Amino acid sequence: MEAAGNVQSSRTVLVRIRSLLPALRPSERAVAEMVLADPSRAAMMSIGDLAEHGGTSTTSVVRFYKKVGYRGYSDLRLDLARETARESLANNAPTGVYEDINTSDSLRDIVSKIAYNETMSIADTAQVLDVDQLAEAVEAISRSRKIDIFGVGAGGLVGQDLQQKLHRIGLTSFTWPEVHVALTSAALLDDDGVAVAISHSGATVDTVDFLKAAKDTGATTIAITNHADSPLGRTAHIVLSTAARETPFRPGAMGSRIAQMMVVDCLFVGVAQHSYEASIAALRKTHAAVQGRKLPRASSPD
């Protein structure tokens, strides 16, 4: 993998760093997290300054930028400067938006930082989402007999959203709140079934075990994760990648959830479009079924 004007676009530098985090050594990860926390500042630092502020060595910095795909440190700095400038211009980013939320932030600052980071999580995900993989997932779900969906924590909430959407267009889909029940259901899948597993890190043991159990039955397995080269990503037949922006104050339940929901929406619309007439008919029926549950309007005063 090469970058910095060689093969890869500078627009993807921060996305690439985030996706590689689980595969980095602790010393390299320290450098990566410092770069992600304030890329505009990192772009101005010498290799020695970056090592010193990251509490590591220049050797670790060299290993880091080579793993990200750069031949030289100056190339990394140039792409960081380009990317932060592009984002600031394109999104009118407020000063300090890359910094984590801190005790001195006003509520207005918090709103700005969260809105910016979640907006960029969606934009970055749109950039990295493999449309060919998405098409394979749409095809697999559209022809499946049964869809099992599983995730832990925030991934479980996203899974519930996907299940409800698929259920509304008449597809047999289930989501499971507990791993033992999920495993037993996955074990009953076959080559007409699909298993969808959702995990930001791709390393949640329960979620990985669920997908492995489904794969063993011959079912098509789909992973929605921020890290394609993770245990979950390596297990799945199809990987739908997100590019969420997370910081210590905004762990996997915020940026990742927004990015995962965007992927779920794309997946659902693709499936609904695949059987357009049947999906529209089902949506109309389900809408009509709940329409009458609204409270009547209050009568006008005399």
Side-chain angles (χ1 to χ4, degrees):
M1 178 171 58
E2 294 181 330
N6 301 320
V7 175
Q8 299 215 32
S9 165
S10 64
R11 291 173 60 113
T12 65
V13 56
L14 299 178
V15 172
R16 291 203 309 275
I17 293 172
R18 290 187 194 97
S19 69
L20 286 170
L21 280 175
L24 299 177
R25 299 179 182 179
S27 59
E28 298 161 359
R29 187 179 180 118
V31 178
E33 289 175 343
M34 185 177 175
V35 170
L36 292 173
D38 194 345
S40 58
R41 182 185 179 202
M44 303 298 293
M45 289 183 175
S46 68
I47 191 170
D49 288 340
L50 189 61
E52 180 180 352
H53 283 81
T56 187
S57 65
T58 55
T59 301
S60 294
V61 176
V62 172
R63 285 200 304 261
F64 160 71
Y65 71 66
K66 286 186 176 180
K67 283 189 177 178
V68 178
Y70 292 89
R71 290 193 295 261
Y73 181 64
S74 60
D75 295 329
L76 171 64
R77 290 178 60 188
L78 180 60
D79 273 4
L80 288 173
R82 285 173 174 167
E83 175 67 356
T84 52
R86 181 195 68 81
E87 289 189 357
S88 296
L89 289 171
N91 300 285
N92 193 26
T95 303
V97 74
Y98 285 103
E99 299 172 1
D100 197 14
I101 295 170
N102 56 65
T103 55
S104 64
D105 282 336
S106 66
L107 280 175
R108 187 176 298 278
D109 293 332
I110 291 170
V111 169
S112 294
K113 288 182 176 182
I114 290 177
Y116 177 80
N117 279 280
E118 294 194 357
T119 297
M120 292 309 299
S121 286
I122 293 172
D124 289 345
T125 297
Q127 180 179 312
V128 304
L129 184 59
D130 188 323
V131 177
D132 291 336
Q133 290 278 285
L134 180 62
E136 287 188 32
V138 166
E139 178 65 28
I141 289 175
S142 298
R143 58 177 166 75
S144 65
R145 175 184 61 83
K146 175 190 172 191
I147 306 110
D148 274 351
I149 306 162
F150 182 71
V152 173
L157 296 176
V158 175
Q160 289 178 33
D161 183 74
L162 175 59
Q163 187 273 331
Q164 290 173 14
K165 283 181 165 67
L166 295 177
H167 186 68
R168 280 202 66 188
I169 58 173
L171 297 183
T172 303
S173 56
F174 302 90
T175 184
W176 306 106
E178 195 272 331
V179 65
H180 288 180
V181 182
L183 287 171
T184 56
S185 183
L188 295 175
L189 289 172
D190 53 28
D191 56 8
D192 288 328
V194 171
V196 182
I198 304 167
S199 170
H200 172 72
S201 69
T204 304
V205 173
D206 289 346
T207 311
V208 174
D209 285 348
F210 161 77
L211 209 63
K212 285 180 178 178
K215 190 173 186 179
D216 287 344
T217 70
T220 300
T221 53
I222 301 171
I224 300 177
T225 181
N226 218 65
H227 306 290
D229 189 21
S230 63
L232 189 70
R234 291 191 295 271
T235 299
H237 294 110
I238 300 167
V239 179
L240 304 179
S241 295
T242 58
R245 300 184 172 212
E246 300 291 3
T247 71
F249 207 96
R250 297 187 290 272
M254 297 179 72
S256 63
R257 186 191 69 243
I258 295 297
Q260 290 164 359
M261 292 289 282
M262 179 235 177
V263 172
V264 161
D265 285 348
C266 292
L267 185 57
F268 166 71
V269 171
V271 171
Q273 186 188 51
H274 191 273
S275 302
Y276 182 80
E277 296 298 333
S279 295
I280 291 298
L283 288 170
R284 285 174 178 160
K285 287 180 181 179
T286 54
H287 176 72
V290 299
Q291 184 69 15
R293 304 299 297 170
K294 294 181 180 178
L295 290 172
R297 292 183 180 181
S299 57
S300 302
D302 293 336

